């Protein structure tokens, strides 16, 4: 069975990483109507550049148009839909029925994908969307594996099924939350969520201003809405058996490093599953080396539960440099991201490459002089790698104890 690996692309840098590290398709937002207002997103010219880059490499582009627009916004939708269609986009992702209808009228060549925001949780609503012209439904994250398999069995086979397999999970049902609107004035349904579910709360009695009383859930902790991140890398064969057509990685607001590492790990997981062989532990370990909260399998196998010790991200690794080019002997031109020096131990990772540790030798600056420690952000320098590596390979180091 062929299955699509769909990766997030918050900006052009992240898009290049996702494509280079193995995505079959990417999803991104233009300058309007996307649910991640604070990702980099793409201007019309950048969108055309992104489509050209992806299509030249056999990768599809899905554009999000999944906010819930108000009356003063809908008049702009026809021109926007026509623009993204003209740019050569493959599919548009929508949650609003009005937007869906407008896309059919103003961008008839685009595939229409129904967003997870629409809350598709049963086969009847999936059938209804198909009858209206949907090419794909992106399932609500609250479904179990058994429910997904039943939905697949009871819907037309030409209706594609997409499901989230990795990344952050909103504490609210299918993302339908008003906390951000109420507490900060930032509309979660228009891409501007402030994530107040991650705040650490206390009680204050009105006659005792400034006196805070902790809110305890269990074990003396106060993180009462602290959802864990989803990680399904160990269960790709089950997802394929259930009939999922596209595996979606969350994270348009996350780093280029995240896009590279998680895409690479799932690329190897999908390839292993399709070949009928076990996934190497090397790639399972990779998902632990990006910034993340404690993992669960979401709702796929029952309630995911919460992690109540803290709400922090686990950040054990840091990118030090990006490989710009590399000679056959492993001598590479790199661009600095975070400081390191000769003698440090780094890991080299790259498209199709297993991670390898090495001790950094003395480097050379752009004039060929010996360099012990590159210091200026983005500066170019030359470094001897343990073996040749493609452009956009990364050098990273561990910054905390495992």
């Amino acid at each position: 069975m062929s299955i699509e690996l769909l990766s997030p692309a918050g900006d052009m840098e992240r898009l290049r990483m996702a494509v280079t590290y193995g995505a079959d398709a990417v999803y991104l937002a233009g300058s309007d109507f996307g649910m991640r207002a604070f990702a980099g997103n793409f201007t019309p010219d950048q969108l055309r550049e992104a489509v050209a880059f992806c299509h030249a490499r056999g990768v599809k582009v899905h554009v999000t148009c999944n906010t819930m627009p108000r009356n003063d916004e809908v008049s702009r939708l026809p021109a926007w839909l026509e623009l993204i269609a003209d740019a050569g986009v493959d599919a548009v992702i929508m949650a609003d029925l009005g937007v869906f209808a407008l896309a059919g009228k103003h961008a008839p060549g685009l595939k229409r994908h129904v967003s997870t925001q629409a809350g598709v949780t049963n086969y009847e609503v999936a059938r209804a969307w198909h009858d209206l012209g949907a090419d794909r439904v992106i399932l609500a994250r609250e479904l179990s594996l058994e429910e997904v398999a039943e939905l697949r069995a009871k819907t037309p086979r030409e209706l594609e099924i997409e499901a989230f397999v990795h990344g952050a999970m909103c504490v609210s049902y299918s993302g339908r939350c008003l906390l951000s609107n109420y507490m900060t004035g930032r509309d979660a349904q228009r891409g501007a969520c402030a994530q107040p579910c991650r705040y650490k709360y206390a009680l204050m009695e009105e006659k005792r201003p400034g006196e805070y009383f902790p809110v305890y859930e269990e074990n003396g902790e106060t993180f009462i809405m602290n959802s864990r991140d989803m990680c399904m890398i160990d269960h790709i064969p089950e997802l394929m058996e259930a009939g999922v057509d596209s595996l979606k990685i969350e994270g348009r607001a996350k780093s280029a490093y995240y896009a590279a590492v998680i895409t690479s790990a799932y690329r190897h997981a999908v390839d292993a599953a399709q070949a009928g062989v076990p996934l190497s532990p090397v790639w399972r370990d990779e998902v632990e080396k990006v910034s993340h909260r404690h993992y669960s399998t979401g709702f796929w196998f029952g309630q995911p539960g919460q992690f109540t010790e803290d709400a922090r991200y686990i950040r054990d690794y840091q990118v030090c440099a990006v490989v710009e080019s590399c000679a056959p002997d492993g001598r590479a031109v790199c661009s600095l991201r975070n400081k390191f020096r000769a003698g440090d131990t780094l890991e080299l990772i790259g498209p199709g490459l297993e991670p390898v540790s090495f001790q950094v030798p003395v480097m050379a600056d752009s004039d060929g002089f010996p360099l012990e420690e590159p210091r200026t952000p983005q500066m170019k320098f030359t470094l001897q790698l343990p073996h040749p590596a493609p452009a956009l390979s990364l050098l990273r180091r561990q910054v905390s104890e495992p």
Side-chain angles (χ1 to χ4, degrees):
M1 172 186 173
S2 177
I3 195 165
E4 177 185 85
L5 178 60
L6 178 58
S7 294
D11 58 21
M12 198 64 195
E13 181 189 17
R14 286 172 272 186
L15 179 141
R16 289 191 182 99
M17 286 293 187
V19 172
T20 301
Y21 280 77
D24 297 310
V26 296
Y27 65 103
L28 53 87
S31 51
D32 217 346
F33 302 111
M35 283 295 289
R36 291 293 182 272
F38 303 111
N41 298 330
F42 291 75
T43 66
D45 286 345
Q46 290 170 337
L47 182 59
R48 294 179 189 278
E49 179 187 358
V51 170
F53 179 87
C54 290
H55 285 182
R57 293 157 178 81
V59 173
K60 293 182 178 180
V61 178
H62 306 172
V63 170
T64 62
C65 194
N66 56 346
T67 59
M68 302 297 185
R70 304 291 180 87
N71 286 336
D72 60 349
E73 297 173 299
V74 293
S75 62
R76 303 200 312 273
L77 275 162
W80 174 244
L81 290 164
E82 290 167 4
L83 185 152
I84 63 175
D86 185 65
V89 166
D90 297 284
V92 59
I93 302 168
M94 300 156 290
D96 182 270
L97 183 57
V99 178
F100 185 90
L102 286 170
K105 180 179 179 181
H106 293 278
L110 291 183
K111 299 283 189 181
R112 288 184 288 177
H113 295 180
V114 178
S115 172
T116 190
Q117 295 289 118
V120 175
T121 57
N122 63 73
Y123 55 82
E124 286 292 353
V125 69
R127 286 174 180 170
W129 278 112
H130 175 259
D131 291 343
L132 290 170
D135 297 283
R136 177 182 294 190
V137 289
I138 305 165
L139 300 181
R141 289 179 231 200
E142 293 78 18
L143 294 181
S144 69
L145 187 69
E146 290 78 8
E147 289 174 308
V148 172
E150 182 180 6
L151 186 148
R152 171 73 286 172
K154 294 181 178 179
T155 51
R157 192 61 192 89
E158 61 268 23
L159 177 67
E160 295 177 351
I161 302 296
E162 179 179 308
F164 281 91
V165 295
H166 193 93
M169 294 186 66
C170 180
V171 73
S172 182
Y173 197 93
S174 289
R176 298 169 181 171
C177 182
L178 287 175
L179 275 178
S180 182
N181 304 52
Y182 180 77
M183 297 181 68
T184 71
R186 284 166 47 176
D187 192 341
Q189 302 310 311
R190 295 160 93 186
C193 184
Q195 296 194 343
C197 57
R198 303 294 187 182
Y199 298 173
K200 184 173 182 178
Y201 288 94
L203 291 173
M204 186 175 70
E205 201 272 330
E206 65 177 343
K207 294 182 180 180
R208 296 172 175 81
E211 188 174 348
Y212 297 99
F213 301 92
V215 179
Y216 292 135
E217 183 179 37
E218 58 182 85
N219 302 324
E221 304 300 339
T222 62
F223 302 96
I224 57 176
M225 295 178 284
N226 193 29
S227 61
R228 296 190 286 173
D229 284 1
M230 183 194 296
C231 178
M232 285 290 288
I233 196 168
D234 297 319
H235 303 284
I236 304 303
E238 292 102 309
L239 297 173
M240 293 172 63
E241 180 68 23
V244 177
D245 296 290
S246 180
L247 306 178
K248 189 169 195 171
I249 298 168
E250 183 275 338
R252 277 189 292 129
K254 295 182 179 177
S255 68
Y257 171 67
Y258 172 96
V261 171
I262 298 301
T263 298
S264 179
Y266 277 85
R267 175 76 274 152
H268 286 88
V270 169
D271 291 348
Q274 290 179 326
V277 299
L279 177 64
S280 167
V282 168
W283 305 114
R284 176 59 181 82
D285 290 346
E286 283 294 284
V287 300
E288 303 292 345
K289 296 181 179 181
V290 299
S291 177
H292 67 282
R293 293 186 174 94
H294 291 268
Y295 285 131
S296 75
T297 52
F299 289 88
W300 287 101
F301 301 105
Q303 292 291 326
Q306 297 186 55
F307 185 78
T308 57
E309 292 182 18
D310 57 58
R312 72 177 182 89
Y313 281 97
I314 300 168
R315 293 185 175 98
D316 293 337
Y317 286 79
Q318 180 183 73
V319 176
C320 296
V322 178
V323 174
E324 302 277 340
S325 62
C326 186
D329 64 356
R331 192 163 180 81
V333 175
C334 300
S335 175
L336 183 67
R337 294 297 182 271
N338 287 286
K339 288 183 180 181
F340 68 99
R341 62 180 298 111
D344 288 351
T345 298
L346 299 185
E347 279 189 350
L348 169 65
I349 63 172
L353 302 178
E354 288 196 7
V356 59
S357 295
F358 69 103
Q359 189 172 51
V360 178
V362 174
M363 295 157 276
D365 65 18
S366 57
D367 295 318
F369 292 107
L371 180 67
E372 289 282 338
E373 181 181 5
R375 292 177 177 271
T376 307
Q378 308 294 324
M379 75 172 287
K380 303 290 195 301
F381 59 94
T382 302
L383 168 64
Q384 180 63 51
L385 299 177
H387 56 66
L392 297 184
S393 294
L394 302 169
L395 301 176
R396 70 184 177 198
R397 66 175 175 183
Q398 191 168 339
V399 293
S400 64
E401 292 299 320

